[in-house]
Structures are given as C-alpha cells and as structure tokens.
Amino acid sequence: METPLTPYLPLAVVLLLSGVLALIIPTLAGLLGPRRPSAVKSMTFEAGSESSGMARQRFAVKFYVVALLFIVFDVEAVFLYPWAVNFQALGWFGYTEMVVFAATLVVGLIYVWKKGALEWES
C-alpha cells in the first residue's frame, strides 16, 4: 500500500545520508589525519606572502561602499534579465517600470560618484 509520503522516501534517504556523511568525514579526518606540528606550519599564511600588520586592523569604509555598489548593480542585472525575456508580454507598463528602476540606480550612482566614493586612493 502506498502512503502519501512514499514519493518523499528517496529525498529522506539522501538527506539522512548527507547528514551522516557530514558528521563522519570530519570526525575521521580529525582522528586519522596526520599530526606533525612545526614552526613553519604554525605561521600565519596569507596569499603567498608573509602577513604584515595586525589581524584586527580596520579597513577603509570605501572598501565596503564599493562592495555594496557591486551588490546593488549585480541585483540590477538579476532583475534586468527576466525583464528582457518578458519584454513583449509586459508592454509599455513593464518598460516604464524598468525605466524608473534603472533611473533610481543611476541617480544613486551619480550621488556616490559626486561624493567621491569611487575614487580609490592608496
């Protein structure tokens, strides 16, 4: 007899298996892995060069502003693609919606540009 949950049995097996593996693999790696500490292995390593400065060093705010701008324009690209695919079905209403959306982002970009947030100084 088939119950309503029978189609979900393969999904439950995969989730159970992945959960078990997520516990077993790190445990076995910790128990069976090599332990040969040395002074060289204990040193901090960053991108192939020795570290300079403190780890708790403050970053310039402009770094975060550029990262946020990247995310904003990445989201714009995500919204632009489905709009372009459905352009004919949306008609003029969809066109004006996208113009307003893009204009808002352009105004924001002009504001950030005038504030000098895109100027990267060493």
Side-chain angles (χ1 to χ4, degrees):
M1 180 171 187
E2 190 170 313
T3 65
L5 296 178
T6 303
Y8 295 105
L9 182 63
L11 180 63
V13 169
V14 168
L15 289 175
L16 182 67
L17 183 64
S18 63
V20 168
L21 284 176
L23 294 173
I24 288 177
I25 291 174
T27 304
L28 287 177
L31 293 175
L32 302 176
R35 289 184 190 85
R36 294 185 211 102
S38 67
V40 174
K41 290 181 183 178
S42 298
M43 290 176 51
T44 55
F45 180 79
E46 185 174 333
S49 59
E50 292 188 26
S51 300
S52 61
M54 295 177 38
R56 305 264 182 228
Q57 178 178 335
R58 297 186 115 175
F59 287 98
V61 175
K62 289 185 179 189
F63 173 80
Y64 297 107
V65 170
V66 170
L68 285 172
L69 285 172
F70 173 77
I71 290 171
V72 164
F73 287 104
D74 198 37
V75 167
E76 177 189 14
V78 167
F79 283 124
L80 198 61
Y81 181 74
W83 171 79
V85 169
N86 294 321
F87 179 69
Q88 285 184 336
L90 295 173
W92 284 104
F93 179 72
Y95 179 74
T96 47
E97 277 186 330
M98 188 50 70
V99 166
V100 169
F101 177 67
T104 305
L105 291 174
V106 167
V107 168
L109 177 63
I110 291 170
Y111 173 77
V112 168
W113 198 338
K114 293 290 184 186
K115 284 288 191 180
L118 300 177
E119 302 292 327
W120 200 269
E121 298 160 0
S122 301

